Structures are given as C-alpha cells and as structure tokens.
Amino acid sequence: GNIMRLEMKYEEAYRLYNLAWNSDTTNPLPIYYMASILDNNFHQSKEALLDYQLFIDRLDMISTMANAKQQNPAIRTIVEDRIIDLENRKNGDH
C-alpha cells in the first residue's frame, strides 16, 4: 500500500490497505491510511470521517493490550485534528 501511495496509485493503495486491515485487525494503521486517501485524494470527507473515527476507536480499544496510544501519539493527534476539521466543515463552520 505504501509503495502504491507513493506512486500515486491511490485506488490500488486503498485496496491493499483494506486487505491489510482485513488480514490483521489488531493494527489500526491501515485504517488511518485508508481514511487519509479518502480525505486527501478522493475528497470523500464523510467516508474519511468515518474511517478516522474508526481509527481512534480501534486505537482506544487495543491501547491497553498493545499500548498503541503510546506507539502512535503523533498520528492520533493528526487524526483527532482532522476529525474536528471535517466535522466543522460538515456543519458549515469555517
């Protein structure tokens, strides 16, 4: 997925991240990449918002088992900020 994303083959990257997520649901990072592609490349804000929230939810769910909150604090902050931005845009706030 990372290689396809770097080559700007976003549909293929999304498909591969989805495969990765379905193969290992203990790692929420593919959800982040899927949300990012939806958000930044496909401009599908509503769908991206759902995936960003799913990323946070999954991160919280596994944080006690894998200490994921500590492993991905920067990504978590990025996602939380993006959720706020997308929700504000959805509600007409700027």
Side-chain angles (χ1 to χ4, degrees):
N2 291 337
I3 292 170
M4 291 296 112
R5 189 170 43 89
L6 290 172
E7 292 182 359
M8 295 188 287
K9 296 178 180 176
Y10 300 115
E11 289 181 18
E12 182 65 9
Y14 185 90
R15 187 185 73 75
L16 291 169
Y17 288 128
N18 194 25
L19 257 167
W21 169 244
N22 287 322
S23 297
D24 180 8
T25 58
T26 63
N27 178 9
L29 207 49
I31 298 171
Y32 166 72
Y33 288 121
M34 289 166 34
S36 181
I37 289 171
L38 288 170
D39 187 9
N40 299 307
N41 305 108
F42 298 156
H43 307 291
Q44 296 176 356
S45 301
K46 290 178 187 176
E47 294 83 355
L49 185 58
L50 293 173
D51 276 359
Y52 282 137
Q53 190 58 57
L54 177 61
F55 172 78
I56 295 293
D57 293 345
R58 294 302 292 202
L59 202 60
D60 288 345
M61 185 183 298
I62 65 170
S63 66
T64 55
M65 295 183 306
N67 205 14
K69 238 184 219 183
Q70 299 304 317
Q71 292 176 5
N72 296 309
I75 294 174
R76 182 186 185 89
T77 301
I78 291 167
V79 169
E80 289 171 339
D81 290 345
R82 194 63 188 137
I83 287 171
I84 291 167
D85 185 44
L86 289 172
E87 285 178 341
N88 287 340
R89 192 177 308 167
K90 182 175 74 172
N91 295 326
D93 300 340
H94 295 284

